[in-house]
Amino acid sequence: MKPEPLLAAQKTVLVFGGSFDPVHQGHVAMVQHIAERFAVDEVRIIPAGQPWQKAGLVATAEQRVAMLELAFADTLKVDFIIDQQEIDRAKQQIASYTVETLQNLRQQYAPQTAFILLIGADQFRNLSTWKNWQQLFQLAHIVVAARPGYSLQLDELPGEFVQLWQQGNDDIASFKQCYFGKTWLETGLAWDISATRIRASLQQQGQSKESIALIPRKVLDYLQSHSIYN
Ligand code: ATP
């Protein structure tokens, strides 16, 4: 008989950060897919703060938050929160690091909460350069979504990082049996889509067949009525 897990998580929270300039169908599909596959109880979407010391994002923080609300309101079966902690810190000219964002979240939830940090394969390649990246494995499980054009390239990443990644590789059920440290590469969906390409397409062609297919309808209407990316 399998032993009862000693540390079964009481709640699983999916954490997904990004610029979301704008949020697109790739983001929505990723969150929906992972939320269902890992049976998460809650989703935290965390838009990055507006950079104050370098060329900024195109849409304002308020617009990106509004678009996220529109994109996720009808699509998720579980509670979701657009968490503005990184935007708030940026307004005070405080830099945000994912490790601190996760630490803040840990303080808001019961200790028996499992967090799943969701990132795309492009971000995975940089993960070992993020501030205190080792701690990320002690704060959350890490799920990487495959992305066309980006392989994980484990052989090019630091050994210590690869070891933690491979050590954590386990089945999906194990993500509920502890609160952090498990890892998973999700290959079940791979949208060839980026916000950069969408912005370029909107700037060059306005609302085209492509942008209509890649952006949630309500977000598209919002973009149009606020003349963003024209
Ligand atoms: P940009 O083109 O402006 O850099 P983006 O489309 O990559 O934007 P972000 O807002 O930076 O979107 O992404 C948020 C998170 O979603 C990141 O972890 C990123 O890797 C991931 N992501 C975005 N698009 C995809 C995709 N098509 N497949 C897998 N992951 C993705």
Short mmCIF file of all heavy atoms in Angstrom, two decimals, residues 85-139:
data_model
loop_
_atom_site.label_atom_id
_atom_site.label_comp_id
_atom_site.label_asym_id
_atom_site.label_seq_id
_atom_site.Cartn_x
_atom_site.Cartn_y
_atom_site.Cartn_z
N GLN A 85 0.90 43.50 -6.97
CA GLN A 85 2.03 43.82 -6.08
C GLN A 85 3.24 44.34 -6.85
O GLN A 85 3.92 45.26 -6.38
CB GLN A 85 2.40 42.64 -5.18
CG GLN A 85 2.77 41.36 -5.87
CD GLN A 85 3.42 40.37 -4.91
OE1 GLN A 85 4.46 40.66 -4.33
NE2 GLN A 85 2.79 39.22 -4.73
N GLU A 86 3.53 43.78 -8.02
CA GLU A 86 4.73 44.24 -8.74
C GLU A 86 4.50 45.63 -9.34
O GLU A 86 5.41 46.45 -9.40
CB GLU A 86 5.12 43.21 -9.81
CG GLU A 86 5.54 41.88 -9.18
CD GLU A 86 6.29 40.94 -10.11
OE1 GLU A 86 6.47 41.27 -11.29
OE2 GLU A 86 6.70 39.86 -9.62
N ILE A 87 3.27 45.88 -9.77
CA ILE A 87 2.92 47.22 -10.29
C ILE A 87 3.04 48.25 -9.16
O ILE A 87 3.60 49.33 -9.34
CB ILE A 87 1.50 47.19 -10.88
CG1 ILE A 87 1.50 46.39 -12.18
CG2 ILE A 87 0.95 48.61 -11.09
CD1 ILE A 87 0.15 46.21 -12.83
N ASP A 88 2.55 47.89 -7.99
CA ASP A 88 2.61 48.82 -6.86
C ASP A 88 4.05 49.12 -6.47
O ASP A 88 4.40 50.26 -6.18
CB ASP A 88 1.85 48.23 -5.65
CG ASP A 88 0.36 48.16 -5.93
OD1 ASP A 88 -0.11 48.84 -6.87
OD2 ASP A 88 -0.35 47.41 -5.22
N ARG A 89 4.90 48.09 -6.49
CA ARG A 89 6.30 48.33 -6.12
C ARG A 89 6.97 49.23 -7.17
O ARG A 89 7.73 50.13 -6.83
CB ARG A 89 7.05 47.00 -6.01
CG ARG A 89 6.65 46.21 -4.76
CD ARG A 89 7.74 45.21 -4.35
NE ARG A 89 7.85 44.07 -5.24
CZ ARG A 89 7.10 42.97 -5.15
NH1 ARG A 89 6.18 42.87 -4.21
NH2 ARG A 89 7.28 41.96 -5.97
N ALA A 90 6.66 48.99 -8.45
CA ALA A 90 7.28 49.81 -9.50
C ALA A 90 6.89 51.28 -9.35
O ALA A 90 7.70 52.18 -9.60
CB ALA A 90 6.88 49.28 -10.87
N LYS A 91 5.64 51.51 -8.92
CA LYS A 91 5.21 52.91 -8.72
C LYS A 91 6.06 53.60 -7.66
O LYS A 91 6.23 54.80 -7.66
CB LYS A 91 3.73 52.94 -8.32
CG LYS A 91 2.82 52.74 -9.53
CD LYS A 91 1.36 52.85 -9.16
CE LYS A 91 0.49 52.54 -10.38
NZ LYS A 91 -0.85 52.11 -10.02
N GLN A 92 6.58 52.79 -6.73
CA GLN A 92 7.48 53.36 -5.70
C GLN A 92 8.94 53.22 -6.11
O GLN A 92 9.84 53.32 -5.27
CB GLN A 92 7.27 52.62 -4.38
CG GLN A 92 5.85 52.72 -3.83
CD GLN A 92 5.65 51.72 -2.70
OE1 GLN A 92 6.37 51.77 -1.70
NE2 GLN A 92 4.72 50.80 -2.87
N GLN A 93 9.14 52.91 -7.39
CA GLN A 93 10.49 52.72 -7.94
C GLN A 93 11.25 51.61 -7.21
O GLN A 93 12.45 51.70 -6.99
CB GLN A 93 11.27 54.02 -7.94
CG GLN A 93 10.52 55.11 -8.68
CD GLN A 93 11.42 56.21 -9.19
OE1 GLN A 93 12.58 56.31 -8.84
NE2 GLN A 93 10.88 57.06 -10.04
N ILE A 94 10.54 50.57 -6.85
CA ILE A 94 11.19 49.41 -6.22
C ILE A 94 11.16 48.28 -7.25
O ILE A 94 10.11 47.97 -7.81
CB ILE A 94 10.44 48.97 -4.94
CG1 ILE A 94 10.41 50.12 -3.93
CG2 ILE A 94 11.05 47.71 -4.35
CD1 ILE A 94 9.49 49.87 -2.74
N ALA A 95 12.33 47.69 -7.51
CA ALA A 95 12.40 46.60 -8.48
C ALA A 95 11.71 45.36 -7.92
O ALA A 95 11.67 45.16 -6.70
CB ALA A 95 13.86 46.28 -8.78
N SER A 96 11.19 44.53 -8.79
CA SER A 96 10.53 43.31 -8.34
C SER A 96 11.30 42.09 -8.82
O SER A 96 11.75 42.05 -9.96
CB SER A 96 9.11 43.22 -8.92
OG SER A 96 8.23 43.95 -8.13
N TYR A 97 11.43 41.15 -7.94
CA TYR A 97 12.05 39.88 -8.29
C TYR A 97 11.06 38.78 -7.93
O TYR A 97 10.38 38.86 -6.89
CB TYR A 97 13.36 39.69 -7.51
CG TYR A 97 14.37 40.78 -7.83
CD1 TYR A 97 14.52 41.88 -7.01
CD2 TYR A 97 15.13 40.70 -9.00
CE1 TYR A 97 15.42 42.89 -7.33
CE2 TYR A 97 16.03 41.71 -9.32
CZ TYR A 97 16.18 42.79 -8.48
OH TYR A 97 17.06 43.80 -8.81
N THR A 98 11.02 37.77 -8.79
CA THR A 98 10.03 36.70 -8.59
C THR A 98 10.18 36.05 -7.21
O THR A 98 9.20 35.70 -6.56
CB THR A 98 10.15 35.66 -9.72
OG1 THR A 98 9.92 36.35 -10.95
CG2 THR A 98 9.15 34.54 -9.58
N VAL A 99 11.43 35.93 -6.76
CA VAL A 99 11.65 35.29 -5.47
C VAL A 99 10.92 36.07 -4.35
O VAL A 99 10.31 35.49 -3.45
CB VAL A 99 13.16 35.11 -5.20
CG1 VAL A 99 13.86 36.42 -5.00
CG2 VAL A 99 13.41 34.17 -4.07
N GLU A 100 10.95 37.39 -4.45
CA GLU A 100 10.27 38.21 -3.42
C GLU A 100 8.76 38.16 -3.58
O GLU A 100 8.02 38.15 -2.59
CB GLU A 100 10.76 39.65 -3.50
CG GLU A 100 12.18 39.79 -2.99
CD GLU A 100 12.89 41.03 -3.52
OE1 GLU A 100 12.25 41.86 -4.20
OE2 GLU A 100 14.10 41.14 -3.26
N THR A 101 8.33 38.13 -4.81
CA THR A 101 6.88 38.03 -5.07
C THR A 101 6.34 36.74 -4.45
O THR A 101 5.29 36.73 -3.80
CB THR A 101 6.63 38.08 -6.59
OG1 THR A 101 7.14 39.33 -7.07
CG2 THR A 101 5.16 37.96 -6.92
N LEU A 102 7.08 35.65 -4.64
CA LEU A 102 6.63 34.37 -4.07
C LEU A 102 6.70 34.39 -2.54
O LEU A 102 5.83 33.84 -1.87
CB LEU A 102 7.49 33.22 -4.62
CG LEU A 102 7.22 32.82 -6.08
CD1 LEU A 102 8.27 31.83 -6.57
CD2 LEU A 102 5.83 32.23 -6.25
N GLN A 103 7.73 35.05 -2.01
CA GLN A 103 7.83 35.15 -0.54
C GLN A 103 6.62 35.91 0.01
O GLN A 103 6.03 35.54 1.02
CB GLN A 103 9.13 35.85 -0.13
CG GLN A 103 10.31 34.91 -0.13
CD GLN A 103 11.66 35.64 -0.19
OE1 GLN A 103 11.73 36.85 -0.44
NE2 GLN A 103 12.73 34.89 0.01
N ASN A 104 6.26 36.99 -0.68
CA ASN A 104 5.07 37.75 -0.26
C ASN A 104 3.83 36.88 -0.29
O ASN A 104 3.00 36.92 0.61
CB ASN A 104 4.82 38.95 -1.20
CG ASN A 104 5.81 40.04 -0.95
OD1 ASN A 104 6.40 40.12 0.12
ND2 ASN A 104 6.01 40.90 -1.93
N LEU A 105 3.69 36.10 -1.36
CA LEU A 105 2.52 35.23 -1.46
C LEU A 105 2.50 34.21 -0.33
O LEU A 105 1.46 33.96 0.28
CB LEU A 105 2.52 34.49 -2.81
CG LEU A 105 2.17 35.31 -4.04
CD1 LEU A 105 2.22 34.45 -5.29
CD2 LEU A 105 0.78 35.92 -3.90
N ARG A 106 3.66 33.63 -0.05
CA ARG A 106 3.73 32.63 1.03
C ARG A 106 3.21 33.22 2.35
O ARG A 106 2.58 32.52 3.14
CB ARG A 106 5.17 32.15 1.22
CG ARG A 106 5.59 31.12 0.21
CD ARG A 106 5.83 29.74 0.86
NE ARG A 106 5.79 28.66 -0.11
CZ ARG A 106 4.82 27.76 -0.21
NH1 ARG A 106 3.80 27.77 0.61
NH2 ARG A 106 4.85 26.81 -1.12
N GLN A 107 3.47 34.52 2.56
CA GLN A 107 3.01 35.13 3.81
C GLN A 107 1.50 35.30 3.85
O GLN A 107 0.91 35.45 4.90
CB GLN A 107 3.68 36.49 4.00
CG GLN A 107 5.12 36.32 4.47
CD GLN A 107 5.89 37.63 4.41
OE1 GLN A 107 5.32 38.69 4.23
NE2 GLN A 107 7.19 37.53 4.57
N GLN A 108 0.89 35.29 2.67
CA GLN A 108 -0.56 35.52 2.61
C GLN A 108 -1.38 34.24 2.71
O GLN A 108 -2.58 34.29 2.85
CB GLN A 108 -0.92 36.21 1.29
CG GLN A 108 -0.35 37.62 1.16
CD GLN A 108 -0.57 38.17 -0.24
OE1 GLN A 108 -1.57 37.90 -0.88
NE2 GLN A 108 0.38 38.93 -0.72
N TYR A 109 -0.73 33.10 2.56
CA TYR A 109 -1.46 31.83 2.53
C TYR A 109 -1.00 30.93 3.67
O TYR A 109 0.09 31.11 4.21
CB TYR A 109 -1.23 31.10 1.20
CG TYR A 109 -1.94 31.73 0.03
CD1 TYR A 109 -1.40 32.83 -0.63
CD2 TYR A 109 -3.15 31.22 -0.44
CE1 TYR A 109 -2.05 33.41 -1.72
CE2 TYR A 109 -3.80 31.79 -1.53
CZ TYR A 109 -3.25 32.89 -2.16
OH TYR A 109 -3.88 33.46 -3.23
N ALA A 110 -1.83 29.93 3.97
CA ALA A 110 -1.45 28.96 5.00
C ALA A 110 -0.18 28.24 4.55
O ALA A 110 0.04 28.07 3.35
CB ALA A 110 -2.59 27.96 5.17
N PRO A 111 0.63 27.79 5.53
CA PRO A 111 1.89 27.14 5.15
C PRO A 111 1.68 25.88 4.30
O PRO A 111 2.56 25.49 3.56
CB PRO A 111 2.53 26.77 6.50
CG PRO A 111 1.75 27.47 7.55
CD PRO A 111 0.47 27.97 6.97
N GLN A 112 0.52 25.26 4.41
CA GLN A 112 0.29 24.01 3.65
C GLN A 112 -0.19 24.29 2.22
O GLN A 112 -0.86 23.47 1.62
CB GLN A 112 -0.77 23.13 4.34
CG GLN A 112 -0.50 22.74 5.77
CD GLN A 112 -0.88 23.83 6.77
OE1 GLN A 112 -1.30 24.93 6.41
NE2 GLN A 112 -0.71 23.51 8.03
N THR A 113 0.12 25.47 1.70
CA THR A 113 -0.29 25.80 0.34
C THR A 113 0.83 25.43 -0.65
O THR A 113 1.99 25.77 -0.42
CB THR A 113 -0.56 27.32 0.22
OG1 THR A 113 -1.50 27.67 1.22
CG2 THR A 113 -1.11 27.68 -1.15
N ALA A 114 0.45 24.75 -1.71
CA ALA A 114 1.41 24.48 -2.78
C ALA A 114 1.29 25.57 -3.83
O ALA A 114 0.17 25.91 -4.25
CB ALA A 114 1.12 23.12 -3.42
N PHE A 115 2.40 26.15 -4.22
CA PHE A 115 2.39 27.14 -5.30
C PHE A 115 3.01 26.51 -6.53
O PHE A 115 4.00 25.78 -6.43
CB PHE A 115 3.21 28.38 -4.91
CG PHE A 115 2.52 29.24 -3.90
CD1 PHE A 115 2.79 29.10 -2.54
CD2 PHE A 115 1.59 30.19 -4.29
CE1 PHE A 115 2.14 29.88 -1.60
CE2 PHE A 115 0.94 30.97 -3.36
CZ PHE A 115 1.21 30.82 -2.02
N ILE A 116 2.41 26.80 -7.67
CA ILE A 116 3.01 26.37 -8.94
C ILE A 116 3.36 27.62 -9.72
O ILE A 116 2.48 28.41 -10.07
CB ILE A 116 2.02 25.51 -9.77
CG1 ILE A 116 1.65 24.23 -9.01
CG2 ILE A 116 2.64 25.18 -11.13
CD1 ILE A 116 0.64 23.34 -9.76
N LEU A 117 4.65 27.81 -9.97
CA LEU A 117 5.09 28.94 -10.79
C LEU A 117 5.10 28.48 -12.24
O LEU A 117 5.79 27.53 -12.60
CB LEU A 117 6.51 29.35 -10.35
CG LEU A 117 7.16 30.47 -11.16
CD1 LEU A 117 6.43 31.80 -10.94
CD2 LEU A 117 8.63 30.62 -10.78
N LEU A 118 4.31 29.17 -13.06
CA LEU A 118 4.22 28.81 -14.48
C LEU A 118 5.04 29.80 -15.32
O LEU A 118 4.83 31.02 -15.21
CB LEU A 118 2.74 28.85 -14.91
CG LEU A 118 2.45 28.67 -16.40
CD1 LEU A 118 2.93 27.32 -16.90
CD2 LEU A 118 0.94 28.84 -16.67
N ILE A 119 5.93 29.26 -16.14
CA ILE A 119 6.71 30.13 -17.03
C ILE A 119 6.80 29.47 -18.41
O ILE A 119 6.62 28.26 -18.54
CB ILE A 119 8.15 30.40 -16.52
CG1 ILE A 119 8.90 29.08 -16.29
CG2 ILE A 119 8.14 31.23 -15.26
CD1 ILE A 119 10.37 29.28 -15.97
N GLY A 120 7.09 30.27 -19.42
CA GLY A 120 7.30 29.72 -20.76
C GLY A 120 8.74 29.25 -20.93
O GLY A 120 9.63 29.62 -20.16
N ALA A 121 8.95 28.43 -21.96
CA ALA A 121 10.27 27.84 -22.19
C ALA A 121 11.35 28.91 -22.42
O ALA A 121 12.51 28.72 -22.06
CB ALA A 121 10.21 26.89 -23.37
N ASP A 122 10.97 30.06 -22.97
CA ASP A 122 11.95 31.14 -23.19
C ASP A 122 12.46 31.66 -21.84
O ASP A 122 13.64 31.93 -21.66
CB ASP A 122 11.34 32.28 -24.02
CG ASP A 122 10.06 32.83 -23.41
OD1 ASP A 122 9.17 32.02 -23.07
OD2 ASP A 122 9.93 34.05 -23.27
N GLN A 123 11.56 31.80 -20.89
CA GLN A 123 11.94 32.28 -19.55
C GLN A 123 12.77 31.23 -18.80
O GLN A 123 13.65 31.56 -18.02
CB GLN A 123 10.69 32.60 -18.72
CG GLN A 123 9.87 33.73 -19.26
CD GLN A 123 10.54 35.07 -19.06
OE1 GLN A 123 11.55 35.18 -18.39
NE2 GLN A 123 9.99 36.10 -19.66
N PHE A 124 12.44 29.97 -19.05
CA PHE A 124 13.18 28.90 -18.38
C PHE A 124 14.67 29.01 -18.64
O PHE A 124 15.49 28.81 -17.75
CB PHE A 124 12.65 27.54 -18.86
CG PHE A 124 13.43 26.37 -18.33
CD1 PHE A 124 13.18 25.88 -17.05
CD2 PHE A 124 14.43 25.77 -19.08
CE1 PHE A 124 13.92 24.81 -16.55
CE2 PHE A 124 15.17 24.71 -18.59
CZ PHE A 124 14.91 24.23 -17.32
N ARG A 125 15.01 29.35 -19.88
CA ARG A 125 16.43 29.44 -20.24
C ARG A 125 17.15 30.51 -19.42
O ARG A 125 18.36 30.45 -19.25
CB ARG A 125 16.56 29.78 -21.71
CG ARG A 125 16.18 28.65 -22.63
CD ARG A 125 16.56 29.11 -24.00
NE ARG A 125 16.04 28.30 -25.06
CZ ARG A 125 16.16 28.64 -26.35
NH1 ARG A 125 16.76 29.75 -26.68
NH2 ARG A 125 15.69 27.88 -27.28
N ASN A 126 16.38 31.52 -18.95
CA ASN A 126 17.02 32.59 -18.16
C ASN A 126 16.91 32.36 -16.66
O ASN A 126 17.46 33.13 -15.88
CB ASN A 126 16.31 33.94 -18.43
CG ASN A 126 16.37 34.33 -19.88
OD1 ASN A 126 17.35 34.03 -20.53
ND2 ASN A 126 15.33 34.99 -20.37
N LEU A 127 16.16 31.36 -16.28
CA LEU A 127 15.79 31.22 -14.86
C LEU A 127 17.01 31.20 -13.93
O LEU A 127 16.97 31.75 -12.83
CB LEU A 127 14.96 29.93 -14.69
CG LEU A 127 14.05 29.84 -13.48
CD1 LEU A 127 13.04 30.98 -13.47
CD2 LEU A 127 13.32 28.50 -13.46
N SER A 128 18.10 30.61 -14.40
CA SER A 128 19.28 30.50 -13.54
C SER A 128 20.03 31.83 -13.43
O SER A 128 21.09 31.90 -12.79
CB SER A 128 20.22 29.41 -14.07
OG SER A 128 20.63 29.73 -15.37
N THR A 129 19.48 32.90 -14.04
CA THR A 129 20.08 34.23 -13.85
C THR A 129 19.18 35.09 -12.97
O THR A 129 19.52 36.21 -12.64
CB THR A 129 20.28 34.96 -15.20
OG1 THR A 129 18.99 35.22 -15.78
CG2 THR A 129 21.09 34.14 -16.18
N TRP A 130 18.01 34.58 -12.60
CA TRP A 130 17.10 35.36 -11.77
C TRP A 130 17.66 35.48 -10.36
O TRP A 130 18.36 34.58 -9.88
CB TRP A 130 15.71 34.72 -11.72
CG TRP A 130 14.95 34.77 -13.03
CD1 TRP A 130 15.45 35.12 -14.26
CD2 TRP A 130 13.57 34.44 -13.24
NE1 TRP A 130 14.46 35.04 -15.21
CE2 TRP A 130 13.30 34.63 -14.62
CE3 TRP A 130 12.53 34.02 -12.41
CZ2 TRP A 130 12.04 34.39 -15.17
CZ3 TRP A 130 11.28 33.78 -12.95
CH2 TRP A 130 11.05 33.98 -14.33
N LYS A 131 17.30 36.55 -9.67
CA LYS A 131 17.80 36.78 -8.31
C LYS A 131 17.45 35.58 -7.41
O LYS A 131 16.29 35.13 -7.39
CB LYS A 131 17.17 38.06 -7.76
CG LYS A 131 17.74 38.45 -6.41
CD LYS A 131 17.11 39.72 -5.87
CE LYS A 131 17.61 39.98 -4.48
NZ LYS A 131 16.86 41.02 -3.80
N ASN A 132 18.44 35.11 -6.68
CA ASN A 132 18.27 34.00 -5.73
C ASN A 132 17.45 32.84 -6.32
O ASN A 132 16.53 32.32 -5.70
CB ASN A 132 17.58 34.49 -4.44
CG ASN A 132 18.43 35.49 -3.72
OD1 ASN A 132 19.64 35.57 -3.94
ND2 ASN A 132 17.83 36.29 -2.86
N TRP A 133 17.81 32.44 -7.54
CA TRP A 133 17.00 31.45 -8.25
C TRP A 133 16.89 30.13 -7.49
O TRP A 133 15.88 29.43 -7.59
CB TRP A 133 17.53 31.23 -9.67
CG TRP A 133 18.94 30.71 -9.73
CD1 TRP A 133 20.07 31.45 -9.84
CD2 TRP A 133 19.35 29.35 -9.64
NE1 TRP A 133 21.17 30.63 -9.84
CE2 TRP A 133 20.76 29.33 -9.71
CE3 TRP A 133 18.68 28.14 -9.50
CZ2 TRP A 133 21.50 28.15 -9.64
CZ3 TRP A 133 19.41 26.96 -9.44
CH2 TRP A 133 20.82 26.97 -9.52
N GLN A 134 17.92 29.79 -6.69
CA GLN A 134 17.85 28.52 -5.95
C GLN A 134 16.62 28.49 -5.05
O GLN A 134 15.98 27.47 -4.88
CB GLN A 134 19.10 28.29 -5.09
CG GLN A 134 20.36 27.99 -5.88
CD GLN A 134 21.15 29.24 -6.21
OE1 GLN A 134 20.61 30.35 -6.24
NE2 GLN A 134 22.43 29.09 -6.49
N GLN A 135 16.31 29.67 -4.48
CA GLN A 135 15.17 29.74 -3.54
C GLN A 135 13.84 29.50 -4.23
O GLN A 135 12.87 29.13 -3.59
CB GLN A 135 15.14 31.10 -2.86
CG GLN A 135 16.14 31.22 -1.72
CD GLN A 135 16.04 32.59 -1.08
OE1 GLN A 135 14.96 33.17 -0.98
NE2 GLN A 135 17.16 33.11 -0.66
N LEU A 136 13.80 29.75 -5.53
CA LEU A 136 12.53 29.54 -6.25
C LEU A 136 12.05 28.10 -6.06
O LEU A 136 10.86 27.83 -5.90
CB LEU A 136 12.69 29.83 -7.74
CG LEU A 136 13.05 31.27 -8.12
CD1 LEU A 136 13.32 31.37 -9.62
CD2 LEU A 136 11.94 32.24 -7.71
N PHE A 137 13.03 27.16 -6.04
CA PHE A 137 12.69 25.74 -5.90
C PHE A 137 12.22 25.42 -4.48
O PHE A 137 11.70 24.35 -4.23
CB PHE A 137 13.91 24.86 -6.24
CG PHE A 137 14.28 24.86 -7.72
CD1 PHE A 137 15.10 25.85 -8.25
CD2 PHE A 137 13.81 23.88 -8.57
CE1 PHE A 137 15.45 25.85 -9.60
CE2 PHE A 137 14.16 23.87 -9.93
CZ PHE A 137 14.97 24.86 -10.44
N GLN A 138 12.46 26.35 -3.55
CA GLN A 138 12.00 26.11 -2.16
C GLN A 138 10.73 26.89 -1.86
O GLN A 138 10.21 26.85 -0.76
CB GLN A 138 13.10 26.54 -1.18
CG GLN A 138 14.27 25.59 -1.22
CD GLN A 138 15.54 26.26 -0.73
OE1 GLN A 138 15.52 27.34 -0.13
NE2 GLN A 138 16.66 25.62 -0.99
N LEU A 139 10.27 27.61 -2.84
CA LEU A 139 9.05 28.41 -2.64
C LEU A 139 7.88 27.88 -3.46
O LEU A 139 6.72 28.07 -3.09
CB LEU A 139 9.31 29.87 -3.06
CG LEU A 139 10.19 30.67 -2.11
CD1 LEU A 139 10.74 31.92 -2.79
CD2 LEU A 139 9.41 31.06 -0.85
#
